[in-house]
């Protein structure tokens, strides 16, 4: 179930990395301007993923209970709620864009770039959320192939259109967002046509009590959304800290963040494939199989991420000069690739534990894992590292913070699973 999602997420990360490469050709300022959108983007993604988790969990449980009618009407309600919430959030970000940029420490020379980029970027973010909700419905129904295929299709469209819109048409930085808009429109149209054809989505208030359904969505999505929003809030604070080191530091952090997403692509695919399997095993009271499944995924992630860290360590002298637009950015990126990739293994542990806890009906435990990872481990380590050792110290802080977070998240999951086993034994 993971392989189709893996190809899709690889394609998704590839187009985001390609975006950064093409934008870096425009200069340091456009790349730095892109860096200031990343925290906002993570906030938007946190909201859509939280709602998507609710869709996957609620639809999977309904199907497990043999209620296909409730499942498809719940899917319709989730799409309506998700589209409304993400639209309001996009509108709020656009309205508050100037105060947000000032709070993040954006310099005056970056404002012309962000002014032309944020509106098409927000449009692409809303369309991307709609596409994600459709993918969540398909995954809840056990189809990993369709969402994975659509990720590949939309990513290829984006990569093809990027140089055309950015350079040939002369649209510059906004051209990257327009390419994403076109790709998401195509992907959303295909996804919803297939979902409707398979009768996985409907909405009739007479067949689905709205108030209880909304309560179920809120009870599931709110904690999941909160845990997903934590990285976005942490990213805001991290960018604010890094902005004090200048535009080249922000540009290197932007490139490093893209490489990080590409490096944890298999973990991201697992976090999409595991919840439906875990939820169905949990629904059939097979907690021993849940534990076995999680341990398999955990060992695989640890081994793979160590291999990826070694790869970046060995090849950083090749990639940094090729990606960085100037010498200062190159030096920052070299330091980033020396320290940060080692932390991808414990970071993967955290991501798995959050998704598994949500699937097991322990959303608040997932929230606590996210809160402790970011605000007790990650951000304090970043601040202390930056204070003591500048940007190199900050990167070492990322490493130490993620290692501590991996240990904490595993302990929280183990305690939660033990509690569930005790409750089942008593029952």
């Amino acid at each position: 179930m993971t392989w189709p999602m893996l190809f899709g997420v690889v394609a998704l990360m590839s187009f985001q990395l390609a975006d950064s490469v093409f934008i870096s050709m425009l200069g340091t300022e456009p790349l730095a301007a892109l860096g200031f959108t990343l925290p906002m983007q993570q906030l938007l993604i946190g909201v859509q993923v939280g709602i998507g988790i609710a869709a996957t969990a609620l639809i999977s449980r309904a199907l497990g209970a043999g209620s296909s009618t409730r499942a498809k009407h719940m899917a319709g309600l989730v799409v309506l709620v998700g589209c409304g919430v993400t639209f309001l959030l996009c509108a709020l970000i656009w309205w508050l864009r100037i105060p947000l940029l000032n709070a993040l420490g954006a310099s005056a020379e970056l404002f012309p770039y962000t002014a032309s980029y944020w509106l098409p970027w927000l449009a692409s973010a809303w369309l991307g959320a709609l596409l994600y909700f459709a993918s969540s419905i398909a995954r809840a129904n056990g189809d990993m192939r369709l969402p994975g295929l659509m990720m590949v299709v939309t990513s290829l469209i984006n990569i093809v259109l990027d140089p055309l819109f950015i350079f040939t048409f002369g649209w510059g930085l906004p051209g990257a967002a327009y390419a994403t808009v076109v790709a998401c429109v195509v992907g959303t149209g295909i996804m919803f046509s297939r979902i409707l054809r398979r009768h996985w989505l409907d909405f009739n208030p007479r067949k689905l009590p709205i108030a209880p359904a909304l309560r179920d969505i809120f009870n599931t999505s709110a904690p999941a959304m909160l845990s997903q929003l934590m990285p976005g809030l942490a990213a805001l604070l991290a960018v604010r800290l890094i902005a004090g080191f200048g535009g080249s530091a922000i540009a290197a952090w932007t490139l490093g963040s893209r490489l990080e997403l590409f490096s944890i692509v298999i973990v991201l695919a697992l976090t999409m494939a595991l919840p439906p399997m875990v939820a169905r095993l949990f629904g059939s009271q097979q907690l021993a199989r849940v534990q076995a499944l999680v341990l398999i995924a955990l060992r695989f992630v640890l081994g793979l991420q160590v291999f990826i860290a070694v790869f970046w360590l060995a090849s950083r002298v090749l990639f940094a000069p090729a990606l960085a637009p100037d010498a200062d950015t190159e030096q920052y990126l070299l330091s980033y690739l020396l320290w940060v990739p080692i932390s991808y293994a414990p970071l993967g542990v955290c991501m798995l534990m959050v998704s598994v806890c949500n699937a097991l009906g322990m959303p608040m435990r997932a929230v606590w894992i996210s809160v402790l990872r970011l605000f007790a481990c990650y951000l304090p380590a970043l601040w202390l590292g930056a204070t003591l050792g500048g940007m190199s110290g900050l990167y070492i802080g990322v490493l130490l913070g993620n290692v501590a977070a991996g240990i904490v998240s595993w302990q929280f999951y183990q305690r939660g699973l033990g509690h569930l086993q005790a409750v089942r034994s008593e029952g």
Side-chain angles (χ1 to χ4, degrees):
M1 293 179 72
T2 302
W3 277 107
M5 296 308 302
L6 173 60
F7 287 116
V9 179
V10 165
L12 190 64
M13 297 302 107
S14 298
F15 106 71
Q16 292 183 347
L17 183 59
D19 261 2
S20 298
V21 172
F22 287 129
I23 291 169
S24 70
M25 296 178 184
L26 298 172
T28 303
E29 288 80 9
L31 186 60
L34 177 66
F36 282 102
T37 67
L38 292 181
M40 297 293 103
Q41 188 173 13
Q42 286 185 297
L43 289 172
L44 288 168
I45 289 174
V47 171
Q48 76 182 42
V49 169
I51 296 173
I53 288 171
T56 302
L58 294 173
I59 294 170
S60 295
R61 291 173 195 170
L63 291 171
S67 180
S68 59
T69 300
R70 176 177 172 82
K72 66 182 181 181
H73 287 289
M74 184 64 75
L77 183 59
V78 166
V79 169
L80 289 174
V81 171
C83 289
V85 170
T86 51
F87 179 82
L88 290 176
L89 185 56
C90 287
L92 184 63
I93 290 174
W94 173 251
W95 184 48
L96 297 174
R97 63 192 183 280
I98 301 301
L100 285 171
L101 287 168
N102 285 327
L104 287 172
S107 56
E109 61 266 20
L110 297 181
F111 274 69
Y113 296 99
T114 56
S116 61
Y117 177 66
W118 272 39
L119 188 59
W121 161 65
L122 287 169
S124 71
W126 184 80
L127 289 168
L130 185 58
L131 180 59
Y132 185 82
F133 299 146
S135 298
S136 298
I137 294 170
R139 286 187 282 111
N141 283 273
D143 187 350
M144 302 293 171
R145 186 176 179 181
L146 179 61
L149 179 62
M150 282 305 99
M151 287 182 183
V152 173
V153 169
T154 54
S155 299
L156 289 175
I157 293 173
N158 207 310
I159 291 173
V160 170
L161 293 181
D162 260 347
L164 182 66
F165 286 4
I166 294 173
F167 303 111
T168 305
F169 292 174
W171 293 345
L173 182 59
Y178 290 127
T180 306
V181 167
V182 173
C184 287
V185 167
V186 173
T188 300
I190 295 174
M191 280 292 296
F192 276 102
S193 66
R194 298 291 179 86
I195 288 172
L196 291 171
R197 190 181 308 161
R198 297 175 183 179
H199 306 288
W200 287 346
L201 185 146
D202 200 353
F203 183 67
N204 187 338
R206 291 175 296 180
K207 296 184 178 180
L208 180 71
I210 299 300
L214 287 174
R215 185 166 55 249
D216 287 342
I217 293 173
F218 177 80
N219 289 339
T220 307
S221 66
M225 194 183 302
L226 184 59
S227 66
Q228 294 295 324
L229 285 173
M230 293 298 106
L233 180 57
L236 283 170
L237 298 175
V239 167
R240 184 67 183 89
L241 178 63
I242 296 164
F245 293 95
S248 294
I250 287 289
W253 184 260
T254 303
L255 290 171
S257 299
R258 297 298 199 196
L259 293 175
E260 177 181 304
L261 289 174
F262 194 76
S263 299
I264 61 174
V265 61
I266 295 180
V267 182
L268 290 170
L270 277 171
T271 61
M272 295 179 184
L274 271 180
M277 292 186 280
V278 170
R280 293 195 182 193
L281 289 173
F282 176 62
S284 58
Q285 302 186 9
Q286 300 182 65
L287 288 178
R289 290 190 65 189
V290 168
Q291 178 71 337
L293 180 65
V294 171
L295 287 174
I296 291 170
L298 194 66
R299 287 194 292 265
F300 174 72
V301 164
L302 288 172
L304 178 69
Q305 295 306 130
V306 168
F307 173 79
I308 290 174
V310 173
F311 169 79
W312 285 125
L313 181 63
S315 61
R316 65 193 184 101
V317 294
L318 299 176
F319 281 93
L323 295 175
D326 56 48
D328 289 339
T329 304
E330 178 183 339
Q331 290 303 312
Y332 283 128
L333 188 57
L334 282 169
S335 182
Y336 182 101
L337 293 174
L338 175 63
W339 296 107
V340 177
I342 307 172
S343 72
Y344 295 160
L347 175 61
V349 173
C350 288
M351 295 169 63
L352 284 179
M353 295 306 98
V354 168
S355 65
V356 170
C357 286
N358 280 316
L360 289 174
M362 301 186 294
M364 287 310 300
R365 191 166 292 269
V367 171
W368 274 110
I369 290 174
S370 298
V371 169
L372 291 174
R373 176 178 89 83
L374 295 168
F375 298 103
C377 301
Y378 180 78
L379 286 175
L382 253 68
W383 175 82
L384 184 61
T387 302
L388 297 177
M391 282 300 295
S392 294
L394 183 142
Y395 297 145
I396 296 173
V398 173
L399 167 60
L400 297 178
N402 280 338
V403 168
I407 297 171
V408 169
S409 65
W410 174 249
Q411 292 176 339
F412 261 66
Y413 160 73
Q414 288 284 79
R415 292 174 185 173
L417 185 65
H419 175 71
L420 289 177
Q421 289 171 334
V423 170
R424 287 292 169 91
S425 298
E426 293 173 1

